[in-house]
Amino acid sequence: MHPIFLDVDTGVDDALALIYLLASPEADVIGIASTTGNVVVQQVCENNLGLLELCGRTDIPVSKGPEETLSGPLSAPSRVHGPRGMGYAELPPTDLGLTSYDSAAAWVQAAHRFPGELIGVATGPLTNLALALRAEPALPTLLRRLVIMGGSYDHRGNTTAVAEWNISVDPEAAHEVLSAWSVKAVEPQYLPILCGLNLTRTVELTPEILGRLAAAAGSTTTLMSVHDERGTRSTASNPLIRVIEDATRFYLEGYYDAGHEFLAHMHDPLAAAVALDPELVATRPATVEIELTGTLTRGMTVTDWSGRREPNAHIGISVDAAVFFDRFIERVGPFARRLAGR
């Protein structure tokens, strides 16, 4: 089993990423860091604790990051995740508490506990990781692998014309993180894998795929439709499937309102899958820098593919979405079935 440390701003797709990892037999989630992003960090913590209660994994420690990004307060939460980050979903109450140490310390402790083995997955702004690197500059040499959902590589943004959400929330943190992996002490095979919008927008969740997931869980359900009344709640007989459907319905509605079809992109679950199997995506090495001062381009991931400079990342460029969804269903469906039988 691979020790996994997850840094999230939970969020609908962050929640699906966590569920994917909990459902994967080769993943040992040893800690969860909470960061402000899709919603404020206190709500992120509550979402993480509720998900662990739902999934029967109350043994996993959850830490809290700072209220603000490196550059100041969160300007506004994301609209597509809802005011609490989980769409229409209701998570169970829990008596679980947070760690006594913060998320930066949690990163450092995890890396020292599993030197050369730990796989880090960051699906939110990189505030916690940047602070961890300030405390432990050797972190890049301690991790076995780092996968980041963030950026947009030769592709449009989703927050501004050129900037992706996670990077745009805290560009200074992203700059510090990528700079840390630019030093020559980091071997090429340990450079972070960046899953940007150019990649994750090719992985589209549809009501039909959710129907396949419910069937794999042995759950009854009603296939959702764009014609349903807004906020229609899931009829799934399985509790985990019900939460997934209630969360993703809000997500699909948000995408539809933004001019897409009735579907949603699986940004964070793809990053979780890549953390366990990097061969799932094709990558290219490149040098990535974060624009910090541009009036129109702040938060842009400026990418140099020329090879004239040492690369500091592997950029995901293509994925077979059907293979990803097969894996998601094969893992999460039986996991949901087992939880219902507890």
Side-chain angles (χ1 to χ4, degrees), residues 159-181:
T159 306
T160 69
V162 295
E164 177 273 333
W165 172 264
N166 287 339
I167 303 299
S168 69
V169 166
D170 198 345
E172 282 74 17
H175 168 73
E176 291 191 23
V177 168
L178 290 177
S179 296
W181 264 265

Side-chain angles (χ1 to χ4, degrees), residues 159-163 291-300:
T159 306
T160 69
V162 295
E291 175 59 54
L292 300 178
T293 60
T295 303
L296 300 177
T297 56
R298 177 171 161 79
M300 181 180 182

Side-chain angles (χ1 to χ4, degrees), residues 8-11 14 34-44 66-69 73-79 81-82 85 123-127 165-166 169-170:
V8 288
D9 62 337
T10 316
D14 306 79
S34 308
T35 185
T36 195
N38 288 322
V39 286
V40 296
V41 70
Q42 183 59 44
Q43 184 63 61
V44 172
E67 304 281 346
E68 298 188 350
T69 70
L74 179 68
S75 57
S78 171
R79 294 189 301 272
H81 299 272
T123 63
L126 297 175
T127 313
W165 172 264
N166 287 339
V169 166
D170 198 345

Side-chain angles (χ1 to χ4, degrees), residues 16 20 213 269 323-333:
L16 296 179
Y20 181 93
L213 176 63
V323 171
F324 163 76
F325 279 117
D326 285 347
R327 291 188 187 183
F328 189 91
I329 291 166
E330 289 166 1
R331 293 166 186 237
V332 176

Side-chain angles (χ1 to χ4, degrees), residues 233-248:
R233 302 302 293 270
S234 169
T235 62
S237 57
N238 182 285
L240 180 58
I241 298 300
R242 192 158 56 244
V243 164
I244 290 173
E245 290 186 349
D246 281 340
T248 54

Side-chain angles (χ1 to χ4, degrees), residues 147-157 164 192-205 255 264-275 277-284 301 305 314-322 324-325:
V147 179
I148 295 171
M149 192 282 125
S152 189
Y153 305 97
D154 291 352
H155 187 79
R156 67 190 185 279
E164 177 273 333
I193 300 171
L194 305 184
C195 298
L197 297 179
N198 55 296
L199 179 73
T200 59
R201 276 177 164 155
T202 68
V203 182
E204 299 177 340
L205 180 71
Y255 270 75
H265 302 134
M266 291 291 93
H267 309 291
D268 298 343
L270 179 62
V274 171
D277 180 13
E279 301 301 318
L280 182 62
V281 297
T283 63
R284 281 182 60 192
T301 43
W305 305 95
H314 297 291
I315 311 299
I317 57 173
S318 66
V319 61
D320 188 328
F324 163 76
F325 279 117

